[in-house]
Structures are given as structure tokens and as C-alpha cells.
Amino acid sequence: MADKRQMAVFVGHGDPMMALRDDEVAHGLRAMGEKVLADAPRAILAVSAHWFTRGTLVQSDPTPRQVNDMYGFPPELYAIKYRPAGNAGLTARVQELLGSDVMVDDTWGIDHGVWTPLYHMLPAANVPVVELSVNALGDARYAYDLGRRLAPLRDEGFVVLGSGNVVHNLREVEWDNPAGTKACDEFDAAVRSAVEARDDEKVINYQQLPHAAYAVPTPDHYLPLLTVLGASEGEKPEVFNDVRNLGAISMTSYAFA
């Protein structure tokens, strides 16, 4: 078992092509990965926006498959292989902590919401990964409380990782825009201000923030942030990858140690 309390991290994963880039965001992910690895975690519990399910599901597969849940991208992206092992001990602890609120399901795998950032953070794929789904039947409060219930994992050698995007509106994506729109910037800044102040209620009640309907048209990519906040209650964040791109995507990420 790791001696040090493990990190809770929310990463903005953006579009799948991030896996092939060598830019500011990739460098930020690599630097954060070094910090994660320095604490010698036993495994990572990864809450993925791309596993959006009716109910809360957790994986038990000792060798979870890589899921290329993206379409129309160049062959170089599909050629990437990222296959970390699973971890039975982590799956069992999630079941103990969540009880009847979680079910085991191995029909999915490690999707691009997880393997894309981890490909930069932990390129050797040498830390086991267990995915936890985002419950489409649960609201923001549920996602936050789920993180609170999972917080003990961090003292048992397990990292809690959420992968999504604070702003994620594919209908408003501007492919030729390397930055964010005014609405994207303002919502992202409001969330950052609340996270840094640990005003978790404001982050939970995100619908009251400016441009919320634009920034979060569907909750799947936002809710992993709330689970990470619940798992790090009261802790101050390290903000990294404070970047907006494609007009309507925020890459802003948070780490709690």
C-alpha cells in the first residue's frame, strides 16, 4: 500500500487528437503524470464522461479492452495502444464503499476519455486503471456525494481521476478557433473561481452560472469534476491546462494532493 495519500485529479480531455499533439496541454498532462507517479499509486479509479450509463457501473476486468469510441479520425490515432491492467482490489473497495448503488459491468473498457489523457500522463500504462461510469440518472449533487463516499480510496493507495470538460458543447465547436468564445471563457472562469475558493455549492449549482446552458448542454462531461471535488472536500486545487480551444471546449484541469 502506498504510504502517501493519493491525488484526486480532474482532467480536461478535449478532442481525441490530443493524444497525437505535443502542445501546451500535452506538456501539462505529462507534468501532472509525473506527480501522480511520484506517489506510487496502486491503481487509478477513472470516472469517464464517455461511459454515461443508467446507473453507476464499475469494471472488474483484469485486462480491460481499449475502446476507440471516436469516428472519422486519421489512422495514426487508432494505431495508439494503451492497455493498463485492471485491479480487483480497487473494484472490491468501490463495491464496499458504494454498496447497492454500484453494479459491476465489463461490457465497456478504457475509453478515449481516459486513455487519451493517460497516454500523456502515464505513457508506460504501468498503473492499473478501473473505470467508473457517470450515472445519467443522478444529478450534480449525486455526483458530488459519490466522490465524498469514494474519498477513503485516496488513503488506500488509489488515485481518483475524473475525465471530462468544464465546457463541452460539440454543437458550438469552431474548428478554426484556437481559443474559446466569450461565453466559454466566462463560464470556465466562474467555475475556476468557485473551485479555487472551494465554494463547492456554486460548482454543484452550475446552472446558475453565466452561460451555463451553452457550456453544459448535457451533464456527462461536467459531472466528473463534481466527483473529484467530492473526493477532495476542502482541499485547495492546483490548476493546470487553463486553456480553451475550438471555441466551445475548456481544457482547464484541477489537481488536489
Side-chain angles (χ1 to χ4, degrees), residues 12 18 49 64 68 76 85 90 93 124 156 166 205 215 232:
M18 185 189 71
N68 288 330
E76 292 84 357
L90 176 52
R93 280 297 286 142
E156 300 169 12
V166 173
N205 296 302
S232 61

Side-chain angles (χ1 to χ4, degrees), residues 46-53 55-59 69 103-109 111 130-136:
V47 184
S48 174
H50 286 269
W51 199 21
F52 194 51
T53 59
T56 301
L57 308 179
V58 68
Q59 296 171 347
D69 55 324
M103 295 181 294
V104 169
D105 187 296
D106 288 324
T107 60
W108 195 234
D111 58 60
V130 173
E131 272 207 26
L132 185 73
S133 74
V134 176
N135 190 342

Side-chain angles (χ1 to χ4, degrees), residues 160-178:
V160 176
L161 175 79
S163 178
N165 295 99
V166 173
V167 180
H168 185 267
N169 190 336
L170 296 183
R171 290 186 177 182
E172 298 291 341
V173 159
E174 301 172 357
W175 293 105
D176 59 348
N177 187 351

Side-chain angles (χ1 to χ4, degrees), residues 31-42:
M32 184 52 59
E34 291 174 0
K35 294 179 181 180
V36 169
L37 201 57
D39 291 339
R42 295 170 61 191

Side-chain angles (χ1 to χ4, degrees), residues 27-196:
H27 297 167
L29 289 170
R30 289 171 196 158
M32 184 52 59
E34 291 174 0
K35 294 179 181 180
V36 169
L37 201 57
D39 291 339
R42 295 170 61 191
I44 296 170
L45 181 68
V47 184
S48 174
H50 286 269
W51 199 21
F52 194 51
T53 59
R54 296 178 64 84
T56 301
L57 308 179
V58 68
Q59 296 171 347
S60 67
D61 193 335
T63 56
R65 67 189 180 95
Q66 180 178 350
V67 180
N68 288 330
D69 55 324
M70 64 278 184
Y71 310 95
F73 290 92
E76 292 84 357
L77 183 62
Y78 301 100
I80 292 175
K81 304 301 178 187
Y82 196 86
R83 293 290 304 273
N87 184 278
L90 176 52
T91 300
R93 280 297 286 142
V94 170
Q95 290 178 281
E96 290 171 2
L97 292 169
L98 301 185
S100 61
D101 282 351
V102 69
M103 295 181 294
V104 169
D105 187 296
D106 288 324
T107 60
W108 195 234
I110 307 301
D111 58 60
H112 89 265
V114 172
W115 69 253
T116 298
L118 288 184
Y119 183 66
H120 289 294
M121 294 174 71
L122 304 169
N126 55 351
V127 178
V129 176
V130 173
E131 272 207 26
L132 185 73
S133 74
V134 176
N135 190 342
L137 303 179
D139 59 9
R141 178 76 57 186
Y142 176 87
Y144 182 83
D145 288 343
L146 196 74
R148 295 178 69 183
R149 296 163 69 185
L150 293 168
L153 294 173
R154 296 176 57 202
D155 292 316
E156 300 169 12
F158 301 117
V159 171
V160 176
L161 175 79
S163 178
N165 295 99
V166 173
V167 180
H168 185 267
N169 190 336
L170 296 183
R171 290 186 177 182
E172 298 291 341
V173 159
E174 301 172 357
W175 293 105
D176 59 348
N177 187 351
T181 62
K182 182 174 184 291
C184 179
D185 290 347
E186 290 183 358
F187 182 85
D188 200 41
V191 171
R192 173 173 175 166
S193 178
V195 172
E196 290 183 316

